[in-house]
Structure formats: structure tokens, C-alpha cells
Amino acid sequence: MNIKITGSGSYIPTEVVFNVDFAKHVFLNDDGTPFPHPNDIVAQKFLEITGIQERRYVTNDLNTSDIASIAAKKAIEDANIDPETIDYIIFAHNFGNVKNGAIQADTLPSLATRVKFDLRIKNPKCVAYDMLFGCPGWVEGVIQAKAFIQARMAKNV
């Protein structure tokens, strides 16, 4: 049985924060005392250790499920499939939607069902579920997708 990834999609946030933008921040030690070095030295050391030059942030009007929907639409287009032929939507995440200014996550209905709704999928046999698995969740999602296809329970996941 030939199982493969036929399409991929992503979302890259538009708000960019460069290391130099941290010049106004206060960096603290574990005990709450300020770092003994100026911020430009801290930012340079961080760059040397991590290689990270910038960070990208999602705008306040978007939630996790929104950016997942954008990426899913791109993946469907890349795979050139009809969304109605999707058998499973597996949404791996670790925290749900957190609206700007909120103090708690919004996890109901599941983020996967929100993506299914955003994709306008009407197929009642398309199962959409969340996998709260943290960072390695996408790998586990691929493992589950492969298992569904191998078991002939699905063609498109």
C-alpha cells in the first residue's frame, strides 16, 4: 500500500519582532533580579546560542483554529483534493484557542470541528478530533493518519 503526503499547507504570522526590539524589555533571573548585562548583550548571546533573529506573532484577531484553517485550505489546494473526500481531520495542539485578553483557553467545540466548519465540509462521515499532545502532536497525528489509511478506514486524512 502506497501511503504518502500529497499536500501541505502552512501559516506564517505577519507580525515580526526582531532581537533588537527586545532592547526595552527587562530580563530577569530565576530569583526575579535583573540580568547583570545590557539588553543588547543578552540579545546577541541569545542569537549566538539559538540562531533566532526574529519571532513572528499572530495578530490579535486570529486564534489557533483560524490559522489552522488557513493552513488546511492551502494543504487541500496543494493536494488538489475535494474537501468533501476528507475522512479525518486530526488537529494536534496543546492549548486550544486563547482569545486576545482572555485568561482561559476555549476548547469547545473542538478546534478540529471548527476547522471542518471553516472548510465548509458537509460530509457527516468526516471525523474531526483534537489531539492534545503538545509539540510532538503533529508526528502522532501523522502516525494515526497512516494507521487509518493502512486499516482502510480512510483515504484522505
Side-chain angles (χ1 to χ4, degrees), residues 5-6 13 15-16 22 28 36-37 40 42 45 56 65 90 102 113 120 126 128 143-144 147 152:
I5 296 173
T6 58
E15 291 191 11
V16 181
F22 287 99
L28 302 176
H37 306 291
D40 60 334
V42 173
K45 189 67 170 171
R56 292 183 171 261
S65 59
I90 305 170
T113 57
R120 307 289 188 252
C126 174
I143 291 168
Q144 288 185 17
R152 302 194 190 284

Side-chain angles (χ1 to χ4, degrees), residues 11 58 61-73 89 91-93 95-99 106-119 130:
Y11 173 78
V58 174
D61 61 319
L62 296 175
N63 291 319
T64 306
S65 59
D66 298 323
I67 63 175
S69 294
I70 293 166
K73 288 173 187 172
I89 296 173
F91 193 141
H93 63 93
F95 208 68
N97 277 342
V98 180
K99 293 183 176 142
D106 174 12
T107 57
L108 294 172
S110 73
L111 276 58
T113 57
R114 294 175 200 215
V115 170
K116 180 179 176 180
F117 177 81
D118 287 346
L119 296 175
D130 288 8

Side-chain angles (χ1 to χ4, degrees), residues 23-43:
K24 299 176 199 125
H25 288 263
V26 176
F27 294 102
L28 302 176
N29 292 306
D30 290 339
D31 64 2
T33 59
F35 276 17
H37 306 291
N39 285 0
D40 60 334
I41 298 211
V42 173

